Amino acid sequence: MLRLRKSKERGFADHGWLKSFHSFSFAGYYDPQHMGWGNLRVINEDRIAPGTGFGTHGHRDMEIISYVLSGELAHKDTMGNVKGIPPGDVQRMSAGSGVQHSEFNHAPNDTTHFFQIWIEPNVKGIPPSYEQKTFVETDKRGALRLVASPDGAQGSVTIHADARLYAGLFDGAEKAQMALNSASKAYVHLIRGALEVNGTLLQAGDAALIEAESELTLQHGKDAEVLVFELAA
C-alpha cells in the first residue's frame, strides 16, 4: 500500500524569520491523522532568514537529524560542540538524558534551507551525543546512499533507533530499487524535482507513506532529490 500526501497538505508556519512546513503534527500544527509514521515523528522543512535562528532550547530522548540543502547551519550545544553544517553534511544529535542547543544562520544575505528530522529512539536516558559526516553528491547520484543507520553501516551516522535513512539524486534514466520488509513501514519524501515512486508520481514536497510492500522502485526523475526512510512498524 502506498498513500500519497501532497506538499500542500502539510502544516505551515510563518514566523517571519522562520518559514516551516510540517509533515507531521508539530508546535501549533495539530492533525490527529498525521502524528508520525512508524517511529518517524517529525519532518520539518525549515528556511531560516539571514542573521536569525533558534535560540538555546532543550531536547530529551529523541534522535534528531539535520539535512542541509543550502546556506549553512551553525550549531552550538551543551556537549561543547560548535559546528557549521554545510550542504552535503548530515548531523545526528542523540538527545538522550537531555541536551540544550541553538541553531543559527549567521550569513548576512543567504537563507538557510534544511530539513529537521526526529526519530523516536529504541533506548532512553542515554548520555547525549553528536555526530556529523559529509556525503558527496556522486555517491547519491542515481542511487540510494545510506546516511543514517543503527549500526553506522557504510559510513553512515549512527542513530539509536530502529530506522535507516537514505538520500538519492535522480534524473532521466537513473533508477534505484530496494527490497523492503513488508512487515515494516517506509516513508519517501521528495525534496525537489519530480520522481516516480512505485508507479506514483511525486512532485517537490510530496511524500509517500508505504506499508505492506516488498520492494521500492524510484525512477523517471526530473532533477529529483529524495529521502527514503526504512522504519519500525
Side-chain angles (χ1 to χ4, degrees):
M1 185 205 83
L2 183 153
R3 178 161 59 88
L4 175 65
R5 188 165 189 228
K6 302 293 288 183
S7 175
K8 64 183 180 182
E9 297 171 2
R10 295 180 292 174
F12 178 69
D14 187 347
H15 301 285
W17 65 274
L18 170 70
K19 293 178 173 58
S20 183
F21 287 96
H22 305 317
S23 294
F24 304 112
S25 295
F26 185 88
Y29 167 61
Y30 175 71
D31 180 350
Q33 300 302 312
H34 295 95
M35 299 298 296
W37 185 246
N39 52 346
L40 176 60
R41 180 60 189 84
V42 168
I43 298 182
N44 289 345
E45 181 179 0
D46 291 342
R47 290 175 173 84
I48 305 175
T52 68
F54 299 93
T56 301
H57 59 283
H59 296 280
R60 293 179 63 90
D61 291 327
M62 193 65 69
E63 297 296 300
I64 301 172
I65 297 171
S66 296
Y67 186 94
V68 178
L69 299 172
S70 62
E72 184 164 307
L73 189 65
H75 169 98
K76 183 177 182 180
D77 63 44
T78 49
M79 294 178 284
N81 296 296
V82 180
K83 303 284 188 178
I85 309 169
D89 275 22
V90 173
Q91 174 225 53
R92 181 271 301 172
M93 188 174 72
S94 299
S97 58
V99 64
Q100 292 195 328
H101 75 141
S102 61
E103 297 161 296
F104 271 87
N105 173 15
H106 292 304
N109 300 307
D110 298 325
T111 296
T112 293
H113 182 196
F114 79 109
F115 277 77
Q116 179 182 168
I117 297 159
W118 295 8
I119 301 174
E120 295 173 359
N122 55 17
V123 60
K124 294 186 177 181
I126 61 175
S129 60
Y130 181 97
E131 188 179 13
Q132 182 176 336
K133 291 189 175 182
T134 301
F135 297 93
V136 298
E137 184 172 315
T138 52
D139 286 351
K140 295 180 279 189
R141 172 55 56 197
L144 288 173
R145 174 62 163 101
L146 184 65
V147 298
S149 68
D151 54 4
Q154 301 172 31
S156 59
V157 300
T158 303
I159 54 175
H160 303 86
D162 298 322
R164 286 175 171 79
L165 171 59
Y166 303 81
L169 301 168
F170 296 92
D171 194 56
E174 293 170 337
K175 177 180 178 179
Q177 290 179 293
M178 184 172 75
L180 297 176
N181 180 352
S182 59
S184 299
K185 294 183 177 180
Y187 188 90
V188 179
H189 188 100
L190 187 61
I191 294 173
R192 60 182 170 90
L195 184 66
E196 191 176 286
V197 178
N198 283 11
T200 297
L201 181 64
L202 272 64
Q203 303 286 347
D206 293 350
L209 293 81
I210 300 170
E211 59 183 339
E213 295 282 351
S214 60
E215 189 174 69
L216 179 69
T217 300
L218 307 179
Q219 61 185 342
H220 303 145
K222 294 181 180 179
D223 191 30
E225 183 167 7
V226 67
L227 295 176
V228 173
F229 298 81
E230 288 185 287
L231 302 163

